Amino acid sequence: MLDAMRTRVVGLTGGIGSGKTTVAGFLADLGATIVDADRIVHELQAPGQPMLEDLAAEFGREILDASGALDRKALGAIVFADPDARLRLGRIVHPKVGIEMLRQVTAAREARVPLAVADIPLLYEGRREGRDTAGALGVEGVILSWVPVEVQIARTMERDDCTREAAVARIRAQIPIDEKRDMAEWVIDNSGNVADTERQVRQLYEKLVEAEPGD
Ligand code: ATP
């Protein structure tokens, strides 16, 4: 009886252009709470938020644009070439993102939502941070939105109107999607049409909310 009201908590990840956003949308339609790491990062870094001041204090006011908002390109240029700067950025950002994600998962548990989904784009690439966050949230396993790499390239080129070289370069900066496939507990094959993906997502949702943990 108690178990029937228990919120299952899973992670969701993908690779560039693999359909993670599409899968998250279908899960939300089915009633899952999506705890979106990227959105939380953006909200915590909005003008007026203490994190933006912390970032400016650490990296200089040149990371702010004329309106006082975060200039992601400027910050990216600083941390891109400097591993130590990346570490310092992570120390400012990750703990607060983790706390907010935990707050949202806890709210989903209290509301007895059947499924809470921690949407973490670079769950595997983040290594320690990604795993620490997933562990703190009580994530039972990870859903991967997967497509073959050729489809990943084609959809990224089309969506971002970029060259094949540009798409391949961005994809190469991530763990290959087929390696992620070996690490994930559940895989949605998003290489077909969106109706096919929706059907798979519904089946997985039903399996997750109806089954005992470990299934
Ligand atoms: P990113 O992490 O790069 O933002 P994503 O993994 O969230 O990408 P989506 O934004 O869902 O991926 O999908 C990438 C692109 O492919 C989008 O333009 C989307 O409309 C399209 N797309 C997603 N799924 C399908 C599908 N099954 N068939 C055709 N196009 C699709």
Side-chain angles (χ1 to χ4, degrees), residues 15-23 155 159 170 190-194 197:
I16 292 171
S18 77
K20 185 180 61 62
T21 306
T22 305
V23 169
R155 288 194 186 150
R159 184 194 55 188
R170 284 166 58 206
N190 182 41
S191 58
N193 59 36
V194 285
T197 296

Side-chain angles (χ1 to χ4, degrees), residues 26 46 49 61 63 80 104 121-122 129 143 149 164 192-193:
F26 288 140
Q49 293 293 323
R61 304 210 73 83
I63 63 159
F80 180 72
Q104 293 187 16
L122 299 179
E129 293 90 349
I143 302 171
V149 67
R164 182 179 174 89
N193 59 36

Side-chain angles (χ1 to χ4, degrees), residues 67-78:
S67 73
L70 181 62
D71 180 341
R72 289 178 197 282
K73 272 200 179 141
L75 178 61
I78 292 172

